[in-house]
Amino acid sequence: MSKFFTDRLSSLVPYVPGEQPQDKKYIKLNTNESPFPPSEGVRKAVAEEASKLQLYSDPECTELRREMAKVYGLPEDWFVMNNGSDETLNFAFMAFADEKHPLVFPDITYGFYPVFAEINHIPYEEIPLKEDFSIDVNDYIGLGKTVVIANPNAPTGKYIPLSDIEKIVKSNPQNVVIIDEAYIDFGGESAVALVPKYDNLFVTGTFSKSRSMAGVRLGFGIANPALIADINTVRFSTNPYNINRLTSKAGAAALREQKYYNDNCKTIMKNREWTEKALLELGFEVIPSKSNFLFAENPDIDGETLYLALKEKGVLVRHFTKERIKQYNRITIGTMEQMQILVDKIKEIKGELGV
Ligand code: PMP
């Protein structure tokens, strides 16, 4: 740290992203990317836009929001587009949480929430999940605080039904409830359906997972126009050109090719079922998942040992050091071929460890 770093930020502990190794080729099952490339139209749209990069992008994201409106069935002013849902979440925390509206979220959830709270000096409380990693909805009823819930949750993959989300939203009318739906397209029911009914519901989503575009950085928020206007106040005070020209074209093209992405999601869900069964047969405990990953532990193999052994064999999964989950690994669902290799490598490791 330099002597110039301000006291205000010097104690900040940054978020640690999953490894993106550039040295050797791994089977990458560690950051919940899609194993499938973007659709044909996306590649074409990006190539065509390359000759216009001397011009700024459209700060209103007109084309993108027009396509979003068609896919999600709400008017264009119910959408805000951001540089990944990470940025949407950061802006939403800035807009809707402070000392008067402290944040609450589960103790086991997306690791960026406490970091965004810290950088914005927002007080926050972590509510422990139940023993089986499920949310006790009663913990969030009538809290009078700004709530953020990832549904499905990460890194567990656990999903709570829309009726429970609605209870939480309804019982906290003076606070915004942020539902992070990064993984909703892998079998869950979206809370977007509730957005017209509740003025305090803010739903976030991303193109990084189900739409195969982690590399373009495109996320969004869906809410009534008053909440969207607040996010735009933050956005235009930070970086109005947060969506670059290539990202914008890629996103709009993807929204016109939904069938391709929906089919890919179905494939991932099928592969998830196969992998879950294979892991269960190998003695793992697997949390039922509605996301594009599985959270699993094996009572005979230490979580970190398995992560390191798989890495040694060219398969990257995600291991977290937090006490409550250190026995687990989070495994992204890839192609059947990748899943077969994962299972084969685990069998090898079990043999080597004699368990
Ligand atoms: N929310 C959750 C729960 C996530 O796991 C992730 C992915 N790291 C994100 C949001 C952010 O995704 P992105 O910024 O790529 O849209």
Side-chain angles (χ1 to χ4, degrees):
M1 187 193 312
S2 83
K3 65 182 181 188
F4 304 106
F5 203 26
T6 59
D7 291 345
R8 209 163 58 87
L9 293 185
S10 59
S11 61
L12 198 61
V13 181
Y15 174 70
V16 182
E19 296 164 89
Q20 303 293 351
Q22 309 292 326
D23 54 341
K24 78 177 207 202
K25 209 163 154 32
Y26 289 94
I27 293 185
K28 247 187 120 275
L29 308 177
N30 70 327
T31 46
N32 298 339
E33 290 141 325
S34 172
F36 306 114
S39 51
E40 200 59 41
V42 168
R43 286 180 267 172
K44 207 163 147 259
V46 169
E48 277 169 14
E49 192 66 5
S51 61
K52 302 197 188 107
L53 293 182
Q54 72 276 28
L55 302 173
Y56 281 109
S57 56
D58 169 19
E60 306 294 340
C61 297
T62 313
E63 185 189 6
L64 257 178
R65 288 189 301 116
R66 192 188 311 133
E67 297 302 331
M68 288 290 287
K70 283 186 209 157
V71 170
Y72 287 92
L74 286 167
E76 288 164 31
D77 55 351
W78 292 59
F79 301 91
V80 63
M81 309 308 293
N82 296 111
N83 193 293
S85 56
D86 281 340
E87 190 179 61
T88 315
L89 289 162
N90 190 24
F91 286 175
F93 284 19
M94 285 181 184
F96 307 126
D98 63 5
E99 286 78 9
K100 276 203 311 210
H101 311 87
L103 269 171
V104 286
F105 45 82
D107 63 338
I108 305 296
T109 190
Y110 185 32
F112 231 136
Y113 300 158
V115 182
F116 286 142
E118 292 282 349
I119 198 168
N120 294 306
H121 302 279
I122 300 163
Y124 64 93
E125 184 192 331
E126 295 175 302
I127 300 182
L129 291 176
K130 289 196 269 189
E131 194 59 31
D132 66 351
F133 296 126
S134 61
I135 279 184
D136 187 342
V137 175
N138 294 322
D139 288 342
Y140 294 84
I141 298 297
L143 265 187
K145 294 176 182 169
T146 301
V147 175
V148 55
I149 290 175
N151 195 36
N153 198 9
T156 63
K158 272 219 168 215
Y159 168 79
I160 54 173
L162 209 50
S163 52
D164 283 346
I165 297 283
E166 182 160 15
K167 278 185 207 155
I168 295 169
V169 175
K170 202 173 181 171
S171 73
N172 290 285
Q174 299 308 322
N175 286 85
V176 173
V177 175
I178 301 164
I179 304 298
D180 174 351
E181 293 194 343
Y183 301 104
I184 198 66
D185 296 332
F186 302 98
E189 199 183 344
S190 173
V192 170
L194 298 175
V195 161
K197 213 167 146 189
Y198 296 99
D199 68 359
N200 62 326
L201 173 59
F202 187 85
V203 179
T204 69
T206 181
F207 282 60
S208 297
K209 318 295 176 183
S210 57
R211 292 194 181 96
S212 297
M213 265 185 263
V216 303
R217 312 304 302 127
L218 184 59
F220 53 89
I222 306 182
N224 68 78
L227 294 188
I228 295 297
D230 294 341
I231 299 290
N232 274 324
T233 299
V234 176
R235 190 168 75 89
F236 278 76
S237 307
T238 315
N239 180 11
Y241 303 112
N242 61 340
I243 305 299
N244 69 63
R245 280 182 166 269
L246 300 180
T247 295
S248 177
K249 285 292 171 189
L255 289 163
R256 289 190 282 266
E257 295 179 319
Q258 273 299 121
K259 187 180 176 311
Y260 170 79
Y261 297 103
N262 292 342
D263 288 348
N264 285 348
C265 288
K266 283 184 202 142
T267 304
I268 295 289
M269 287 189 268
K270 230 172 56 211
N271 297 356
R272 180 180 72 204
E273 265 173 46
W274 182 90
T275 311
E276 179 176 4
K277 200 161 154 274
L279 290 175
L280 289 171
E281 279 165 15
L282 290 170
F284 280 79
E285 281 178 30
V286 185
I287 312 271
S289 168
K290 284 226 189 282
S291 62
N292 66 339
F293 56 84
L294 289 171
F295 202 49
E297 65 140 344
N298 190 308
D300 298 326
I301 317 173
D302 168 68
E304 189 181 17
T305 305
L306 178 62
Y307 152 71
L308 289 172
L310 279 170
K311 187 173 179 184
E312 186 65 32
K313 291 178 186 292
V315 179
L316 266 189
V317 298
R318 186 88 196 255
H319 180 255
F320 298 90
T321 51
K322 205 169 181 168
E323 190 57 34
R324 224 185 135 178
I325 53 172
K326 68 177 200 251
Q327 181 58 16
Y328 286 79
N329 279 292
R330 192 194 66 191
I331 304 165
T332 303
I333 303 300
T335 61
M336 264 317 294
E337 192 192 358
Q338 291 175 320
M339 296 297 98
Q340 187 65 63
I341 294 172
L342 167 86
V343 168
D344 291 347
K345 297 293 175 195
I346 293 175
K347 282 183 188 157
E348 269 176 44
I349 293 164
K350 285 188 73 166
E352 285 159 17
L353 294 174
V355 294

